[in-house]
Amino acid sequence: MFIDGKWIIREDIDVFDPYTLENIEKITALDREETKNAIEVTEKHKEIMKNLSPSKRYKILMKVAEHLSSKKDFFAKTISIDVGKPIKQSKIEVDRTLTALKLSAFYAKELRGETINSENGLIFTKKEPLGVIGAITPFNFPLNLATHKIGPAIATGNSVVLHPSSKAPIVAIYLTKIIEHVLKQMDIPRGVFNLATGNGEIVGDEISKNDNVNMVSFTGSVEVGESISKNAKMKKVTLELGGNNPMIVLKDSDIKLAAKSAVKSKFLNAGQVCISVGQVLVEEEVVETFTKYVIEETKKLILGNPLDKNTDIGPLISPESALRIENLIKQSVSEGGELLIGGNRQNSLISPAVINIDEENILSKIETFGPILPILTVKDSEEAVNIANNSKYGLQAGLFTNNINNAMKIADELEYGGIMINSSPTFRKDNMPFGGVKKSGLGREGIKYTVEEMSETKTVVIHNI
């Protein structure tokens, strides 16, 4: 769509507002040959990026941040229209994106090797770019997650081809316009950054298979991630996938705080968050109190227009996604789940649902990616850990307890990439290592850690000094 500094404008794909269901844009869908061309252009420009000084890479990122900052309200509104995210959450996403850009700029100047002692010689290492980064991003955080790939790629001197979700591509288009402007202003060939919009089955598939791509950085579903991993062959891959992220609440914890955290975290972006609470495992002595607080907090949430500043929960990305959630609730109830509140659907809107379940319930086994909060009663922490670990996923887990010894013991036992103590699994800072084990992913994101993933170490040995 934006290839070698030129925009390819066609009306191939309809983009809909998830709340109003109105057609808000028609965008270009690249075919396979066009995608190959976009990758070829990116490959031809990789030496230009490699040879840019750290100061120039820093300047690119800081200028992008500066232009984005001047358009914060515009980008927040665009996210809300594109994704259906409540405007107050969209504003937070823009702020986090600015942080990610500035962190990336910092690390552009902080790429360091090391010196190793050697008799009669010198051994030293240096960091070099991989070459071409294929960045494939989802709809739920269309600005911040794109920046978590683009920022470190530029910082390390890689060229980039970006493929955003066709469900919410508008934000990526506007971000590309800022990058285009900055590159032009700095007299850097625009072919170092290319935007490839279209269907994942074509564009994403070609990026994962193409030999000119040196690394694929993907955020999305387990199924697509597994396909990319197979197609990528010997190229480097980082996969940030999904999970059924458990939150364990022990009887010695602050129960009200835990309940508030569960509700706030679960219903963020209508549950369309990879680290959203998957299920809450509560010790039986306090489950009744915890559930009471959860229902009280859930009733306070306002469902509706994402552009209304008072809205807490907007629509899911499409009516089809909402229908899938409605059917999951019905299946859960048919398997013995007790629906305590919510679960009503109107087009793309689903009222936040709270359900009591057991370990065999469908909601204990899958990533719902919607506004359903399952509560499961356990007799003790040992049972909670066993249930939590009995999963194909391993992204993040939360644990509420006031016993530091228990906290450290359970943190060691949980088979997850991140353990949040006295917080929900949904906690994330842009510079912490982020990623999962098992089927929840490969590699780590977080600006510093993505910089490591997107660079390689070259060793130089000088003899006879």
Side-chain angles (χ1 to χ4, degrees):
M1 175 178 202
F2 179 72
I3 302 174
D4 205 8
K6 301 178 181 67
W7 289 92
I8 301 170
I9 308 298
R10 295 196 300 263
E11 296 184 350
D12 297 330
I13 297 179
D14 292 321
V15 181
F16 294 93
D17 180 323
Y19 180 68
T20 66
L21 304 183
E22 294 175 356
N23 187 320
I24 55 175
E25 189 62 82
K26 293 178 182 290
I27 66 161
T28 305
L30 299 186
D31 62 27
R32 194 167 291 272
E33 288 305 310
E34 289 172 317
T35 306
K36 288 179 179 179
N37 179 50
I39 295 169
E40 185 178 339
V41 167
T42 313
E43 195 274 336
K44 285 180 178 177
H45 286 78
K46 68 181 183 182
E47 290 299 318
I48 293 171
M49 281 302 299
K50 179 180 180 179
N51 292 326
L52 286 181
S53 67
S55 294
K56 278 201 170 181
R57 298 174 197 169
Y58 172 91
K59 192 173 180 181
I60 291 170
L61 292 162
M62 290 303 291
K63 279 184 170 291
V64 171
E66 180 185 337
H67 285 286
L68 178 61
S69 182
S70 70
K71 299 179 178 180
K72 284 174 63 173
D73 289 343
F74 170 79
F75 269 87
K77 184 177 180 180
T78 303
I79 291 169
S80 291
I81 293 172
D82 209 12
V83 179
K85 183 177 294 185
I87 189 69
K88 56 189 174 185
Q89 296 173 20
S90 296
K91 289 180 178 180
I92 293 171
E93 180 172 350
V94 176
D95 286 336
R96 282 188 59 195
T97 300
L98 291 170
T99 298
L101 285 166
K102 292 172 184 177
L103 282 169
S104 297
F106 171 80
Y107 284 108
K109 292 186 175 182
E110 286 293 309
L111 278 176
R112 302 184 183 195
E114 61 180 349
T115 303
I116 302 167
N117 290 329
S118 176
E119 290 184 13
N120 302 318
L122 175 65
I123 303 172
F124 68 92
T125 65
K126 56 186 295 190
K127 291 293 187 181
E128 294 196 341
L130 297 174
V132 174
I133 304 297
I136 305 175
T137 56
F139 70 82
N140 56 337
F141 288 85
L143 183 62
N144 193 44
L145 291 183
T147 305
H148 266 267
K149 302 178 189 305
I150 297 167
I154 292 174
T156 48
N158 293 286
S159 57
V160 181
V161 55
L162 171 66
H163 172 52
S165 169
S166 60
K167 294 178 181 177
I170 310 303
V171 175
I173 292 171
Y174 285 120
L175 178 61
T176 299
K177 289 180 182 292
I178 287 179
I179 295 171
E180 176 192 21
H181 176 75
V182 169
L183 293 174
K184 184 176 181 180
Q185 191 179 46
M186 294 181 62
D187 198 27
I188 298 170
R190 266 78 83 198
V192 300
F193 181 88
N194 297 280
L195 176 68
T197 55
N199 295 307
E201 295 85 353
I202 296 172
V203 180
D205 182 69
E206 184 58 39
I207 288 173
S208 67
K209 290 178 177 176
N210 197 291
D211 290 338
N212 284 326
V213 176
N214 301 101
M215 174 180 173
V216 179
S217 177
F218 170 76
T219 301
S221 70
V222 172
E223 293 74 21
V224 176
E226 288 180 330
S227 174
I228 287 173
S229 184
K230 290 175 184 176
N231 290 334
K233 298 178 182 176
M234 290 295 290
K235 64 171 62 73
K236 195 170 185 179
V237 175
T238 56
L239 304 174
E240 197 283 280
L241 309 178
N244 183 309
N245 309 292
M247 182 173 132
I248 298 172
V249 180
L250 301 185
K251 59 188 177 184
D252 65 355
S253 64
D254 184 330
I255 305 303
K256 192 166 189 176
L257 175 65
K260 286 184 174 182
S261 179
V263 171
K264 181 179 179 180
S265 303
K266 172 71 254 187
F267 299 123
L268 177 70
N269 197 24
Q272 299 170 120
V273 181
C274 63
I275 44 176
S276 177
V277 179
Q279 56 182 329
V280 189
L281 308 168
V282 188
E283 280 196 293
E284 56 189 355
E285 289 95 329
V286 294
V287 70
E288 186 176 337
T289 303
F290 175 83
T291 303
K292 181 189 76 170
Y293 286 142
V294 162
I295 292 174
E296 286 177 2
E297 292 299 316
T298 302
K299 286 179 177 178
K300 296 176 185 177
L301 299 175
I302 297 173
L303 176 72
N305 187 344
L307 293 178
D308 186 329
K309 65 180 182 180
N310 295 313
T311 295
D312 299 300
I313 302 179
L316 278 81
I317 192 63
S318 68
E320 292 77 19
S321 293
L323 179 61
R324 180 183 64 82
I325 295 301
E326 183 181 43
N327 288 335
L328 270 178
I329 292 170
K330 290 177 180 177
Q331 182 176 348
S332 174
V333 171
S334 74
E335 294 177 1
E338 180 187 6
L339 180 61
L340 303 177
I341 188 174
N344 301 307
R345 182 176 73 88
Q346 182 179 3
N347 294 325
S348 299
L349 290 168
I350 289 266
S351 58
V354 179
I355 304 180
N356 278 333
I357 64 168
D358 60 28
E359 186 182 357
E360 298 305 314
N361 197 279
I362 182 67
L363 299 181
S364 183
K365 300 174 182 178
I366 65 168
E367 179 183 30
T368 58
F369 222 64
I372 310 174
L373 180 61
I375 299 174
L376 197 157
T377 303
V378 294
K379 64 177 181 292
D380 54 28
S381 61
E382 182 179 354
E383 183 182 15
V385 170
N386 288 337
I387 292 173
N389 286 344
N390 184 26
S391 173
K392 65 180 181 180
Y393 302 111
L395 189 47
Q396 292 200 160
L399 168 65
F400 278 81
T401 177
N402 286 327
N403 184 321
I404 188 62
N405 293 323
N406 266 349
M408 298 309 296
K409 176 177 179 291
I410 293 169
D412 284 343
E413 293 171 343
L414 286 168
E415 298 167 356
Y416 287 79
I419 315 297
M420 310 299 124
I421 297 172
N422 288 328
S423 182
S424 82
T426 317
F427 179 85
R428 182 181 181 184
K429 288 290 185 181
D430 292 291
N431 207 31
M432 65 183 256
F434 177 73
V437 299
K438 300 181 183 178
K439 287 187 177 290
S440 285
L442 295 171
R444 289 295 180 267
E445 290 196 340
I447 302 302
K448 174 184 175 182
Y449 304 90
T450 309
V451 163
E452 289 292 325
E453 298 277 6
M454 290 184 173
S455 59
E456 58 189 359
T457 301
K458 176 179 281 186
T459 304
V460 180
V461 182
I462 304 174
H463 292 279
N464 301 319
I465 291 180

